[in-house]
Amino acid sequence: MFAFLPARVRCRLQPAGAARGRRGWHRDGVHRAAAAVGGGPPWRAAHRRHRRPGSAGRRAERAARVGGRAGQPRPAHRREGDPRIRLQLADDASLGEEGYRLVVGGGIDLVARTDIGLLHAVQSLRQLLPAQAQPEYLLPHVTIADAPAYRWRGTSLDVARSFLPVEYLERHIDRMAFFKLNRLHLHLSDDQGWRMEIKRYPRLVEIGGASAVKGGRSGWYTQEQLKHLVAYAQARGITVVPEIDMPGHVQAMLASYNELACDDVENLAPYDGLEVGFSVLCLSKPEVVHPFVRHVLEEVLAVFPSQEIHIGGDEIKHPLYADFVARTAAMVREMGRTPIAWEEGSVADTGPDMLLQLWNDGYAIDAAVAKGHPLILSPCTYFYLDHGNYAGQPQTYDWCRKEGVPLARVYSFDPSGFKTAVGVEAALWSELVHTDAAADDRLWPRLAAVSEVAWSPAGRREYAGFLERMGRLRPHLDALGIDYHPEPDLGWEEGEAEK
């Protein structure tokens, strides 16, 4: 909740929109969660040390300084006496790693301890600006001091069952940046498809990349495409986290390399159905399976620099399951990274550093919490966005919650009951999501609520205020080209937004 003060300042500024070209910023301003604000000076000069912004800070500086996309009107050049935008890196521990201060007064001051904080500050400034470029801007005098409650503010996209092209992922990253979401979890393998080029095992994409769920899209990413995507995300303050789901959900692997299956397995064909829990690597052949897993992980880690690497581990019951998870987690750790597994991995002896992703609301996770395992919270009754925006929405699931997962339900989640939680993540599974437009409809505006749940403590959130602020951002969603769900709570059932 911003502290809008009565006074206003008239500015002749370049819009905090896109820097030109692929090296610059895209229009990805931010809808902010409730901000801790104050009316007085947010810092004292005696406690401030300025230094030149790093690469991300320079991108933020350009974003606040330069013109928009090609074809957008350019505002007039700054005139003498017009307010300046000042970006400052300050050695202020109270701001944390991602916090910032934004002050609109005689000028516009954006202050943060880190480059990422400056990115957030610039995006919050964008929220105050219209979606389209203007000759000049009338801004409220406002002071915003803000920092996230959780470091993991994520969205998971299942590109394995139905493929999403790189161009869509880039647009999604821009939209994530708009809302200060900072983890993009890519589910790269499942029964219906394998999506990442592994040079040592080319049939994974030759066979697994050619399959998809019935009605969905097949395809795969080269390693160069994924490296580009990682860099694109990093420039916007987002970490891409890969997932190779093992030892279950592996029919695409078995169809590509039959030796990974046990000798008595007859079903070695690509799969396009909706069932789960029927495929498994042959865990009684460790001499075959473990070298394969290690070689795949080595190539995955060479492409994705994220500290955390997801090894899957869901929906599988096998006497050797716990041993496999422990061995695979140890491989990831030996490679200098931190493993993530779905909640079922809590049965393995992995050590408390492994992150666990909770997806089943009723799963008995207390023992893992007692051991100190960090949790990523994705309970399906709140954050599975393949479920309907409303009960009975066509082409959506309801197996986890018959009423669907409406916007108000997403917003109502309170992570504070999980003492080891590092954040939240919403998941879009793609068995029934076969187009870009369908993905947009399932994701937006619900991901905006996810952002606020992850950014602001429950005690500082209020649904009516969220709806008011979110409603004002509809022109920005239109400018981003989002085919969002026309949410009734936002009054979006009919009509076009004012630009």
Side-chain angles (χ1 to χ4, degrees):
M1 292 168 284
F2 292 114
F4 290 101
L5 305 181
R8 289 176 177 266
V9 58
R10 187 176 298 275
C11 306
R12 293 176 63 85
L13 305 170
Q14 295 287 10
R20 293 166 292 175
R22 297 185 67 83
R23 292 172 61 86
W25 276 53
H26 288 245
R27 180 175 290 281
D28 47 4
V30 166
H31 156 64
R32 260 296 309 117
V37 301
W43 69 88
R44 291 190 295 178
H47 294 166
R48 187 172 71 230
R49 180 173 61 86
H50 304 313
R51 51 194 171 90
R52 181 173 175 80
S55 59
R58 288 193 293 273
R59 282 191 295 273
E61 192 173 49
R62 289 197 300 271
R65 186 179 68 226
V66 304
R69 295 179 189 270
Q72 288 184 337
R74 281 186 171 277
H77 293 295
R78 182 182 177 276
R79 299 180 303 192
E80 188 65 30
D82 282 342
R84 290 181 178 274
I85 299 177
R86 295 179 290 269
L87 288 85
Q88 303 168 351
L89 283 172
D91 202 7
D92 184 345
S94 69
L95 294 173
E97 292 302 306
E98 295 189 81
Y100 66 91
R101 290 191 182 97
L102 167 60
V103 181
V104 180
I108 299 175
D109 291 289
L110 296 84
V111 182
R113 190 183 184 191
T114 66
D115 290 341
I116 294 298
L118 281 180
L119 292 176
H120 294 333
V122 168
Q123 291 172 357
S124 288
L125 175 59
R126 290 173 176 171
Q127 182 198 5
L128 299 176
L129 298 170
Q132 303 297 331
Q134 308 290 324
E136 62 181 21
Y137 301 91
L138 186 64
L139 298 179
H141 277 188
V142 61
T143 297
I144 300 168
D146 210 2
Y150 293 97
R151 67 175 179 87
W152 193 288
R153 306 180 300 280
T155 168
S156 173
L157 296 182
D158 171 15
V159 298
R161 293 181 172 98
S162 185
F163 182 73
L164 288 168
V166 169
E167 294 76 15
Y168 183 84
L169 297 181
E170 288 177 345
R171 294 196 300 273
H172 183 69
I173 287 167
D174 290 340
R175 298 159 182 180
M176 288 179 64
F178 187 106
F179 289 93
K180 295 193 181 76
L181 294 162
N182 68 348
R183 294 293 191 281
L184 174 57
H185 168 184
L186 289 182
H187 184 75
L188 291 166
S189 69
D190 214 295
D191 291 313
Q192 296 87 345
W194 179 283
R195 304 303 177 210
M196 177 180 173
E197 174 190 28
I198 301 295
K199 294 180 179 179
R200 188 173 186 131
Y201 300 108
R203 293 206 302 274
L204 286 171
V205 292
E206 292 169 3
I207 297 174
S211 62
V213 72
K214 188 174 182 180
R217 296 183 287 194
S218 61
W220 52 280
Y221 310 109
T222 68
Q223 292 191 10
E224 289 306 308
Q225 285 176 315
L226 291 170
K227 288 177 181 177
H228 158 77
L229 194 70
V230 165
Y232 189 93
Q234 285 177 330
R236 290 152 180 81
I238 294 166
T239 299
V240 182
V241 179
E243 179 190 354
I244 303 298
D245 202 353
M246 305 174 284
H249 289 267
V250 294
Q251 188 64 24
M253 293 188 213
L254 305 185
S256 302
Y257 288 92
N258 297 170
E259 61 269 28
L260 296 172
C262 289
D263 296 340
D264 59 349
V265 173
E266 297 180 358
N267 178 16
L268 297 173
Y271 180 67
D272 66 358
L274 300 177
E275 299 301 318
V276 299
F278 63 90
S279 64
V280 63
L281 295 171
C282 189
L283 302 184
S284 59
K285 295 198 298 187
E287 73 283 357
V288 174
V289 169
H290 292 161
F292 171 85
V293 170
R294 180 176 292 277
H295 295 149
V296 166
L297 287 175
E298 286 172 346
E299 293 199 34
V300 170
L301 270 62
V303 170
F304 294 94
S306 58
Q307 179 58 40
E308 298 87 4
I309 302 293
H310 208 307
I311 59 175
D314 59 322
E315 297 180 312
I316 181 70
K317 292 183 178 180
H318 192 285
L320 297 176
Y321 166 79
D323 177 72
F324 175 86
V325 171
R327 286 175 179 267
T328 306
M331 289 182 196
V332 172
R333 198 177 293 109
E334 289 165 9
M335 298 176 190
R337 308 293 183 88
T338 303
I340 308 172
W342 293 102
E343 60 191 29
E344 295 94 326
S346 62
V347 302
D349 184 10
T350 62
D353 65 316
M354 184 172 79
L355 282 79
L356 295 171
Q357 188 161 4
L358 180 71
W359 66 269
N360 186 332
D361 292 51
Y363 189 81
I365 202 68
D366 290 352
V369 170
K371 293 177 183 177
H373 284 282
L375 298 182
I376 301 167
L377 303 177
S378 304
C380 59
T381 72
Y382 293 91
F383 294 135
Y384 268 28
L385 304 187
D386 52 338
H387 283 53
N389 287 284
Y390 57 90
Q393 183 179 10
Q395 287 296 104
T396 63
Y397 276 134
D398 65 0
W399 58 264
C400 181
R401 191 170 189 269
K402 295 298 182 185
E403 303 88 344
V405 183
L407 182 67
R409 173 73 179 181
V410 175
Y411 193 83
S412 70
F413 184 69
D414 182 359
S416 63
F418 300 88
K419 66 179 183 180
T420 62
V422 297
V424 303
E425 181 177 293
L428 180 66
W429 304 106
S430 62
E431 292 99 321
L432 305 178
V433 180
H434 303 158
T435 65
D436 294 357
D440 279 4
D441 176 272
R442 307 301 184 268
L443 292 168
W444 303 103
R446 289 186 289 183
L447 276 185
V450 174
S451 167
E452 188 140 316
V453 168
W455 189 277
S456 297
R460 284 173 42 204
R461 290 191 275 118
E462 185 252 327
Y463 189 54
F466 166 76
L467 293 178
E468 180 185 358
R469 287 177 281 113
M470 188 64 208
R472 292 199 298 265
L473 287 176
R474 189 180 187 186
H476 287 274
L477 270 62
D478 288 334
L480 287 163
I482 301 175
D483 288 322
Y484 49 80
H485 171 65
E487 173 56 50
D489 281 5
L490 291 163
W492 291 359
E493 299 97 325
E494 297 178 0
E496 295 296 319
E498 249 179 65
K499 299 300 181 187

